[in-house]
Amino acid sequence: MPRPNVDSAIVTIRRAGGTDIRHQRAADLAQAAFGQRRKMVRSSLRSVLPDPESVLAEAGIPRTVRAEELTPMDYLKLAEVAP
């Protein structure tokens, strides 16, 4: 019992403008990539892309990578090149 000396704050982040299609597409791809645990991204993305290996190659991402190894920028690259 003494009261702890703790400071806290709440931060709200809002994007300016409307919904960016590329960011939404990247979020959809990330959700699909993480949808199957311990799988390589090329296997997980088959549910949303007809040829995930060519999309990964075009984005410069190794075909053996797992979802947790990709950065947010990698998902944005995928969104740019995905059909």
Side-chain angles (χ1 to χ4, degrees):
M1 164 91 187
R3 188 173 185 184
N5 185 14
V6 177
D7 294 326
S8 63
I10 296 175
V11 177
T12 303
I13 299 173
R14 295 183 189 182
R15 249 191 299 181
T19 303
D20 183 6
I21 300 299
R22 187 177 71 144
H23 284 95
Q24 183 59 49
R25 181 71 171 147
D28 293 343
L29 290 169
Q31 185 174 4
F34 281 99
Q36 296 178 345
R37 290 188 167 273
R38 301 175 1 153
K39 294 257 185 187
M40 291 183 203
V41 172
R42 71 173 188 248
S43 299
S44 301
L45 293 180
R46 283 194 182 116
S47 64
V48 293
L49 297 175
D51 186 11
E53 290 194 30
S54 66
V55 173
L56 288 167
E58 191 174 341
I61 297 171
R63 58 190 287 279
T64 57
V65 74
R66 297 184 188 280
E68 63 271 12
E69 297 171 328
L70 294 176
T71 66
M73 290 304 296
D74 290 333
Y75 285 105
L76 286 171
K77 281 187 224 172
L78 284 173
E80 287 176 358
V81 299

